[in-house]
Amino acid sequence: MKILQVHNYYRLPGGEDRVVCLEKKMLTARGHRVIRFTRDNRRIDGFSPIKKAGLFFSAAWARDSCRDLAGMIRQERPDIAHFHNTVPLISAAAYHVCQKLGVPVVQTVHNYRAICPSAVLFREGRICRECRGRAMIPALRHGCYRGSRTQTAALVAAAWTHSLLGTMKREVDAFIALSPQMKGILTDAGLPAAKITVKPNFSDRVRALPPAPSGHALFLGRLSPEKGLSTLIRAWMDVPTLPLKIAGQGPLDEKLRREAQGLAHVEFTGHVAGRGLMDLTRQSRFIIHASECLEGFPMAIVEAFSLGRAVLSSAIGTGASMVVPQETGLAFAPGNAADLAHQANWLARHPDACTRMGRNARAVYETCYSEKVNYPKLMDIYNKVIKNRHGRQ
């Protein structure tokens, strides 16, 4: 099968970018041909002021990307197009290009951008569903995307445009939701349930890492408000015996470093990948997922499970259903630093329990989140979409 993979990379690398890479690797290894149509938001930094202003319109209909995508489709003639992120340099108009040229479309929904400009249903330290049924007007008022009313307006205008055109409902043949909770939210927002299949992400780790009973606690992820990092740092004021390493980068980097001043056992490593990331994980006792929003599917938890590490997770969103207390980790009340500290201290005092829960986590990974489990699910989605398209022709 020839698969066109469409993705707009983010300025800062994250779980979504890793999923795109993993899927390409998995499909290629099984004999499929994967061609990629990508854009990278880091290019925006080099745009002229006029070109940056033009993003207001191209967020809805990126003509250059649509033209280039059409050229690639005519040349490569893919069997199916699998979309990940389109904001802002590709745009949802790319679905129209695919359908016009006879290529069926699958869209993995990694976040809630279609119904929330900030993509995370989170504002001012709490879960926010204020835009529900209100055409994103509250988002305009609050400037939910990067605190900018102008940039938020560009995303809202794009959403209005494609809502009027019926783009998501008409031009996407199948949606992949990463969890049942996400499917429920998307269905509630108006996407047709019959087009939504639940398929979680996966990791490609071949074997678990040996336990590290004297290691550190580890946070992996973007340093942004919804990730619960201020709560984590407050909690570590009451976790005196266990080092904490925070690996990642993001808009709160400087703020969080100030908050952690005086905590000598808290270290910020910056963005870490490859061998460095494996070394950090190998030396860790457990992984922390402190999110305070309804994340679609936390890759940090999947990666932790795949490497045989227990997870200390906030009891919210998909993470709450993935981490079973005393089986694959522990849970704490989201935003509650005292509860987080209590659970972390328990794990620090019980290294054998950490090791046991890490083994259980690896078993769950092999059953639910491994490549060998994920591949047939993805191919089933592809084959059904292609069959339905041929049946309509």
Side-chain angles (χ1 to χ4, degrees):
M1 187 181 294
K2 186 183 289 189
I3 299 137
L4 172 61
Q5 195 179 62
V6 183
H7 182 53
N8 193 137
Y9 283 94
Y10 294 86
R11 268 195 179 91
L12 299 176
E16 190 171 330
D17 295 332
R18 174 155 168 72
V19 169
V20 174
C21 179
L22 285 174
E23 285 193 353
K24 179 181 185 296
K25 180 180 175 184
M26 176 180 72
L27 291 165
T28 302
R30 285 162 173 78
H32 302 283
R33 185 174 174 209
V34 179
I35 51 178
R36 310 183 81 181
F37 182 85
T38 64
R39 293 291 186 263
D40 193 322
N41 284 347
R42 288 175 294 185
R43 291 174 48 208
I44 296 173
D45 295 333
F47 284 5
S48 68
I50 293 176
K51 194 168 184 179
K52 284 183 179 179
L55 288 173
F56 186 94
F57 303 99
S58 65
W61 207 283
R63 295 183 182 278
D64 289 352
S65 290
C66 287
R67 180 198 63 224
D68 294 346
L69 177 62
M72 177 177 284
I73 290 173
R74 291 188 180 101
Q75 178 179 340
E76 298 287 350
R77 300 187 180 278
D79 298 298
I80 196 165
H82 189 161
F83 282 71
H84 291 271
N85 179 43
T86 63
V87 179
L89 298 176
I90 295 176
S91 81
Y95 303 144
H96 290 276
V97 174
C98 291
Q99 296 292 5
K100 182 179 179 180
L101 295 176
V103 180
V105 170
V106 173
Q107 170 70 63
T108 293
V109 184
H110 292 276
N111 54 50
Y112 298 105
R113 181 82 68 194
I115 58 176
C116 170
S118 73
V120 292
L121 299 175
F122 186 83
R123 182 175 62 81
E124 297 179 355
R126 61 180 178 83
I127 293 172
C128 176
R129 302 290 296 277
E130 195 175 339
C131 281
R132 180 182 175 187
R134 300 175 67 184
M136 298 189 184
I137 298 299
L140 288 173
R141 184 169 66 252
H142 298 299
C144 288
Y145 182 68
R146 296 186 175 178
S148 166
R149 288 189 175 92
T150 300
Q151 292 184 64
T152 301
L155 294 178
V156 171
W160 287 350
T161 298
H162 291 288
S163 177
L164 290 171
L165 294 172
T167 300
M168 298 292 282
K169 295 179 182 179
R170 293 171 50 191
E171 307 294 349
V172 179
D173 295 276
F175 296 93
I176 296 175
L178 303 178
S179 69
Q181 180 189 53
M182 173 178 270
K183 179 175 180 177
I185 291 173
L186 296 174
T187 302
D188 185 56
L191 291 183
K195 285 190 173 185
I196 305 175
T197 299
V198 175
K199 183 193 75 65
N201 291 327
F202 69 96
S203 174
D204 64 343
R205 304 304 184 192
V206 175
R207 59 180 61 87
L209 296 173
S214 61
H216 53 258
L218 177 62
F219 170 90
L220 299 167
R222 180 174 165 81
L223 310 188
S224 53
E226 72 278 3
K227 296 296 187 180
L229 285 153
S230 289
T231 299
L232 177 58
I233 289 170
R234 290 198 306 274
W236 237 253
M237 296 176 183
D238 296 317
V239 186
T241 63
L242 182 64
L244 168 66
K245 294 185 186 292
I246 297 175
Q249 57 190 35
L252 295 188
D253 197 327
E254 292 184 8
K255 176 179 181 292
L256 294 170
R257 289 175 187 268
R258 290 195 299 269
E259 291 176 3
Q261 283 182 354
L263 298 176
H265 61 319
V266 175
E267 178 186 350
F268 290 82
T269 69
H271 176 64
V272 182
R275 183 179 297 275
L277 179 59
M278 290 297 290
D279 288 342
L280 270 180
T281 308
R282 182 178 291 107
Q283 296 158 14
S284 70
R285 194 178 306 190
F286 58 89
I287 306 297
I288 297 177
H289 174 71
S291 184
E292 296 173 7
C293 71
L294 300 174
E295 287 199 36
F297 194 82
M299 277 300 290
I301 295 180
V302 177
E303 295 282 7
F305 281 14
S306 72
L307 295 170
R309 290 296 181 268
V311 177
L312 175 54
S313 174
S314 55
I316 189 173
T318 305
S321 63
M322 295 175 71
V323 179
V324 179
Q326 290 296 338
E327 292 294 327
T328 54
L330 294 179
F332 65 93
N336 189 322
D339 192 19
L340 199 168
H342 174 73
Q343 304 299 338
N345 280 314
W346 190 93
L347 289 170
R349 294 192 303 269
H350 296 86
D352 289 344
C354 268
T355 299
R356 172 181 58 80
M357 289 187 281
R359 286 197 299 267
N360 293 341
R362 174 67 189 193
V364 170
Y365 157 76
E366 291 174 347
T367 302
C368 302
Y369 308 123
S370 65
E371 185 176 304
K372 68 180 180 181
V373 172
N374 201 275
Y375 174 72
K377 292 181 179 180
L378 181 59
M379 293 309 299
D380 185 56
I381 294 169
Y382 286 172
N383 287 325
K384 284 180 178 177
V385 166
I386 292 171
K387 181 179 178 181
N388 288 340
R389 168 57 62 90
H390 288 163
R392 295 196 302 268
Q393 290 177 345

